[in-house]
Amino acid sequence: MSDEPRTPKDPTRRRVLAALAGAGGLALTGRAGADDSPTADPTKIPGRPPSSLGGRSPHARLERLSAFGSISGTPLQDLHGTITPSDLHFERHHAGIPAIDPAHHELLIHGMVERPLKFSTADLLRFPAVSRIAFLECSGNLRVDAGEETTPQFLCGLTSQSEWTGVALVTLLREAGVKPGAKWLLAEGSDAAVMTRSIPIEKAQDDSIVAYAQNGEPLRPAQGFPIRLFNPGWEGNSSVKWLRRIEVSDRPFMTREETSKYTEPIGNGRVRQFSFTMDARSVITTPTYPAVLERGWHELRGIAWSGRGRITRVEVSLDGGKRWQAARLAGPVLPKAHTRFTLPFRFDGAPMELSSRAIDETGYVQPTVRQLLDARGPGAALYHLNPIVGWAVEGDGRVLYKPLAWRAPS
């Protein structure tokens, strides 16, 4: 490469100068185009110009926590508000993330319908769009083996919230014409596991969405690009990703995943089948491990949610469940959605134990682990576990997760 300076006629140099002029001449100072390295006084040096794709500050270190190769949790303790950035939405898949060309992807609706139909992804964009803010949660969202040095992300990071946009499933079913006697449908994905779930027709005609967008942008591949089913308030596996087929029937299909995984032993020879709805739950997100508190006032923060509707109340205990007081709910309080709660508290150096419990509009109260295990019985599967959890504040200000007095399923 030559070290000789380029002349003004050099086309590369002209393009650079034009770009600098378009940026208001800021680069003449020699700062435009530089990285985000901090400066001693940012008011003295012009910053970098706009870019085609936004990015986070290098000081905002946010990342998912991966485990087992097919799961990654949302960093609940690092987020504010209730919307999860799309690239931080938790992941759970059964056979990897398929690479799909939307131009060749179709959704087939058939079975007990008057008119079997195929929809391209472009077809779906021509239907009236609906949007809904709601949480999505994996049915196995609790680490029962968590130790003291556990963050909310590691403990229960398989819940996230987005604004989902797409076509109401009932609209597509009307186009196909559901026959009398139809009671179930099968949703099938295009992944290598060919993930399938049976869905009652009442849910499909209520609030199910064939979603193509999340938080204003096309779905991310890990979230089902180009289309997925979204069932608000139900366990995440029912919201089948990479949706390619819906078959309408008069009975459930009893497929591999819903019999081998999502039919849950609950002890004493009993099982729970089609346990779709996620129960009310809450978790404190601040302060939690690895925070170290200084003496004085702090704000306790967390999220609560219920698959049955709105959260009506969250109660917080500062003494391990002996006494409870109402937390403040930070709006908007939406049905089947994460709701923020807060409570100011004072740390004076005496040990504390922080915990929360959610109550939803049906009157359901988040249980203790003992109440949950007593109801399920020995041998219960590790699904739909929503017990009250706590965080111990040591005298020196260290905050540690308080492991549950868990009885391992037999």
Side-chain angles (χ1 to χ4, degrees), residues 12-13 26 96 157 286 344:
T12 301
R13 180 175 172 78
L26 299 180
T286 303

Side-chain angles (χ1 to χ4, degrees), residues 78-343:
D78 298 325
L79 300 181
H80 307 277
T82 60
I83 297 296
T84 306
S86 297
D87 60 352
L88 295 175
H89 192 289
F90 81 88
E91 286 185 59
R92 170 73 173 102
H93 36 77
H94 292 73
I97 303 167
I100 296 177
D101 181 350
H104 298 100
H105 188 78
E106 292 179 321
L107 171 62
L108 168 66
I109 297 181
H110 68 127
M112 292 181 63
V113 296
E114 299 293 342
R115 298 170 295 280
L117 296 172
K118 278 185 179 179
F119 301 96
S120 69
T121 51
D123 291 335
L124 296 175
L125 287 167
R126 298 172 62 188
F127 281 90
V130 297
S131 292
R132 177 161 189 166
I133 295 174
F135 75 86
L136 187 67
E137 182 180 18
C138 175
S139 60
N141 187 25
L142 181 71
R143 291 295 300 259
V144 298
D145 59 346
E148 290 183 332
E149 296 182 352
T150 293
T151 64
Q153 178 179 21
F154 182 79
L155 179 69
C156 58
L158 302 184
T159 184
S160 306
Q161 176 151 291
S162 298
E163 180 192 50
W164 303 95
T165 300
V167 184
L169 179 52
V170 66
T171 300
L172 302 179
L173 293 176
R174 287 196 190 110
E175 287 289 307
V178 175
K179 291 182 177 179
K183 296 181 179 178
W184 290 80
L185 58 81
L186 180 77
E188 180 181 276
S190 297
D191 55 332
V194 193
M195 177 66 184
T196 49
R197 285 307 315 263
S198 299
I199 308 295
I201 197 77
E202 291 84 359
K203 181 67 172 178
Q205 294 173 330
D206 178 17
D207 58 2
S208 298
I209 297 173
V210 175
Y212 48 71
Q214 178 185 12
N215 297 334
E217 64 174 0
L219 294 176
R220 300 287 176 107
Q223 299 303 326
F225 179 83
I227 56 173
R228 75 176 301 167
L229 184 62
F230 178 63
N231 288 316
W234 281 19
E235 59 187 27
N237 63 74
S238 73
S239 292
V240 174
K241 295 187 279 191
W242 314 292
L243 184 67
R244 71 173 184 178
R245 187 169 74 91
I246 290 176
E247 181 177 353
V248 182
S249 176
D250 59 355
R251 66 197 66 185
F253 290 78
M254 312 302 286
T255 63
R256 178 189 61 197
E257 299 292 352
E258 62 194 16
T259 54
S260 68
K261 284 188 170 59
Y262 302 119
T263 294
E264 309 154 19
I266 56 173
N268 300 322
R270 299 174 299 154
V271 299
R272 290 205 313 170
Q273 194 171 33
F274 303 123
S275 52
F276 293 117
T277 304
M278 301 306 294
D279 295 317
R281 188 172 184 180
S282 67
V283 62
I284 293 169
T285 56
T286 303
T288 53
Y289 176 80
V292 179
L293 300 185
E294 295 181 354
R295 296 190 182 197
W297 284 97
H298 300 269
E299 184 170 74
L300 179 150
R301 301 171 185 168
I303 53 173
W305 62 98
S306 171
R308 292 188 174 86
R310 287 181 173 81
I311 290 295
T312 56
R313 184 178 174 89
V314 175
E315 295 177 335
V316 169
S317 175
L318 305 179
D319 56 11
K322 297 183 179 68
R323 293 169 293 181
W324 295 89
Q325 57 186 306
R328 183 182 72 88
L329 301 185
V333 181
L334 303 173
K336 303 176 184 178
H338 285 173
T339 297
R340 281 275 170 192
F341 64 88
T342 65
L343 183 78

Side-chain angles (χ1 to χ4, degrees), residues 144-145 267 369-370 373 377-382 385 404-410:
V144 298
D145 59 346
V369 66
R370 181 53 50 197
L373 290 172
L382 303 178
L385 300 180
L404 292 170
W406 193 262
R407 181 179 58 203
S410 58

